[in-house]
Amino acid sequence: MIPSVRLAPLALLTALLLAACVSPAWDDHDYALKAGKTAESAVSAVRFARSTVAYRDRMTGPYAEVVLTEAARDLSSVNDQFGGVQPPSDASDRIRDEVLRLTEKAESEVEDLLIQARRDGVKDPAAAVRELDRLASELSDFAEKHR
């Protein structure tokens, strides 16, 4: 089982990164930076979920459900907070569309895994890990591009 002590720093990092997304965007550059921070926050939540699926044999079902629930909540919060920041110009619309496409896909994937975990367990853990890795990579690339 993964001790909660090891997961606490990840949860704290997610909370700190979320806090970086809660102010208005003054210009296109500022908006792009917020989009990058949003993607970073989503990466943390996706990796959190990935660890849960990858190490499912080391934790109980209820614990896995709690971790996946928290990851889904984090992703929902990321989407809500960034969605509340109005793009300062038409040029920022593309950035908004791209980051929300990625974060909403991540949220949907984690929510699907949570549903599976609550029922009979994740049907294809290896495929889920690959998909979460792919999403984390895309989000990380986006975040790197918008630093």
Side-chain angles (χ1 to χ4, degrees):
M1 178 179 347
I2 297 177
S4 60
V5 173
R6 287 180 49 200
L7 296 177
L10 186 56
L12 178 61
L13 175 64
T14 299
L16 290 173
L17 289 172
L18 287 173
C21 302
V22 184
S23 61
W26 303 110
D27 57 27
D28 290 331
H29 177 71
D30 186 45
Y31 190 79
L33 292 175
K34 287 181 183 306
K37 291 295 184 185
T38 296
E40 283 180 28
S41 296
V43 168
S44 293
V46 169
R47 288 186 177 151
F48 202 37
R50 184 224 182 267
S51 295
T52 302
V53 174
Y55 299 108
R56 73 199 174 285
D57 56 333
R58 297 184 187 171
M59 62 182 75
T60 65
Y63 184 73
E65 289 176 28
V66 168
V67 174
L68 288 172
T69 298
E70 288 303 314
R73 281 187 189 147
D74 288 349
L75 288 164
S76 177
S77 179
V78 164
N79 285 328
D80 290 346
Q81 288 178 5
F82 186 74
V85 179
Q86 183 170 345
S89 72
D90 292 342
S92 292
D93 288 346
R94 182 188 55 75
I95 290 171
R96 182 198 66 220
D97 293 346
E98 186 177 354
V99 74
L100 289 176
R101 177 187 61 80
L102 292 170
T103 58
E104 288 170 357
K105 172 65 178 151
E107 181 181 0
S108 177
E109 183 68 24
V110 172
E111 286 173 347
D112 288 348
L113 290 171
L114 177 58
I115 290 167
Q116 290 177 38
R118 286 182 175 158
R119 291 180 181 166
D120 300 321
V122 176
K123 290 176 179 57
D124 188 350
V129 167
R130 284 191 303 274
E131 179 62 13
L132 292 170
D133 281 340
R134 185 189 66 73
L135 285 167
S137 177
E138 284 185 45
L139 285 159
S140 185
D141 290 347
F142 181 93
E144 188 63 35
K145 190 167 98 176
H146 295 92
R147 286 183 180 241

